[in-house]
Amino acid sequence: MLFLSLAAIGKLDVTGPHGARRAGPPLVVHAEVQAAIDAGEPVVALESTIITHGMPYPDNLHTARAVEEAVREAGAVPATVALLDGVCHVGLATEELTRLAQLGRERVAKCSRRDLAAVMARRGHGATTVSATMLLAHLAGVPVFVTGGIGGVHRGGEASMDVSADLTELSRTPVCVVCAGVKSILDIPRTLEVLETNGVAVAALGARLPSARASEFPAFFTRSSGCAAPLTVANPHEAAALVHASRSLGLSSGTLVAVPIPAKAEAEAGAVQAAIEAALGEAEVAGVQGRELTPYLLARV
């Protein structure tokens, strides 16, 4: 994983639960997260959809804690983002993280940017996707967000217009998103085209093609996607310089840094592709589409 420490954006005030501080009524920043922001220390935002919609309790809680611990071991402060009782949280206390994991998908809405206001209005619970996590992290002054894989253009998206809100958010929110690439179930070439059209800087971290000068863009389950990455950064320092230059220019777009999955954890590309094709066929027969399609396909794969 890659962690960057950048200057805080503004000051937050008004004390909330657990010593947290509020940026107006709807956004609560955990005290530890706020202290790190104020001190210019590294903070890493984490999404919460994987907690509520990715696996059952208590496996989801164990995973969430393990991810936060990995961030701490790397020298940064984790800030898991979620909504509880209609309040947006950037950083969760132990009991809040536990409560979110126990509530699960039946009682927690999956929230992208468009869903935040609705969940807040009904004082509900929400697990943030990439787009919502980016937005709330930016509002709190957290400039880096780590996730597994981003959404993109769905296969057949040229006809269905099924394009993830993640791509639009990357075009308008200046947060650095570090991930393992675009989910393999998606149309990766078209996803990269949309990111280019929207002016998003996309870089792969040191993933060189065996027989070419270009860098390969990773595909979540695998290190290879068959697509050349638009940019290459050899190490975290080069990635940080890219983000710093973008902020210096005052660009409103985010930066996407794709870190290939470790070789020892990589899936066999042919097996993954076969599983994807089978899952796509099953989804069509079952009539699964829209926001339910990605979790369905990932579960089937």
Side-chain angles (χ1 to χ4, degrees):
M1 290 191 288
L2 173 67
F3 307 113
L4 310 173
S5 177
L6 301 172
I9 303 172
K11 301 287 185 180
L12 306 182
D13 54 18
V14 186
T15 301
H18 310 291
R21 300 168 70 187
R22 293 179 181 266
L27 182 64
V28 171
V29 181
H30 190 277
E32 181 189 16
V33 173
Q34 187 61 54
I37 293 171
D38 291 341
E41 296 173 352
V43 178
V44 174
L46 301 167
E47 66 167 283
S48 50
T49 300
I50 186 64
I51 301 172
T52 56
H53 291 65
M55 57 191 74
Y57 179 83
D59 294 343
N60 57 355
L61 180 58
H62 297 157
T63 300
R65 287 174 174 168
V67 171
E68 288 198 346
E69 184 57 31
V71 172
R72 292 188 188 282
E73 289 176 355
V77 174
T80 299
V81 179
L83 288 81
L84 290 170
D85 301 308
V87 177
C88 301
H89 291 259
V90 177
L92 296 176
T94 300
E95 57 267 39
E96 291 168 338
L97 186 63
T98 300
R99 182 186 178 204
L100 183 71
Q102 291 174 333
L103 285 168
R105 64 184 303 143
E106 298 302 323
R107 289 176 286 177
V108 180
K110 181 180 178 182
C111 289
S112 74
R113 170 190 274 257
R114 71 165 189 179
D115 307 302
L116 290 173
V119 174
M120 289 172 60
R122 64 172 182 264
R123 298 183 180 179
H125 311 305
T128 56
T129 62
V130 169
S131 64
T133 304
M134 284 185 69
L135 172 62
L136 296 178
H138 177 59
L139 291 177
V142 178
V144 179
F145 164 39
V146 173
T147 188
I150 66 163
V153 180
H154 278 267
R155 300 190 187 203
E158 68 276 14
S160 68
M161 295 300 291
D162 192 348
V163 180
S164 171
D166 298 355
L167 306 187
T168 304
E169 203 62 44
L170 276 160
S171 74
R172 63 186 173 190
T173 302
V175 167
C176 175
V177 178
V178 182
C179 66
V182 175
K183 295 183 176 75
S184 315
I185 59 174
L186 304 173
D187 187 328
I188 296 178
R190 284 191 169 90
T191 297
L192 292 173
E193 286 290 345
V194 171
L195 288 168
E196 178 186 1
T197 298
N198 284 288
V200 178
V202 177
L205 183 69
R208 294 289 179 183
L209 286 167
S211 59
R213 295 181 180 179
S215 177
E216 179 110 11
F217 189 79
F220 191 49
F221 292 119
T222 63
R223 296 172 64 84
S224 172
S225 69
C227 299
L231 300 169
T232 301
V233 287
N235 52 55
H237 297 289
E238 287 190 8
L242 175 63
V243 175
H244 178 71
S246 178
R247 291 170 66 87
S248 297
L249 287 169
L251 300 180
S252 59
S253 53
T255 303
L256 182 65
V257 178
V259 182
I261 188 172
K264 64 181 180 180
E266 181 180 23
E268 198 279 312
V272 170
Q273 186 58 38
I276 290 172
E277 295 298 334
L280 286 167
E282 292 174 12
E284 184 175 358
V285 170
V288 180
Q289 55 188 326
R291 66 189 301 163
E292 298 303 321
L293 183 57
T294 293
Y296 176 87
L297 292 175
L298 288 175
R300 295 302 299 148
V301 171

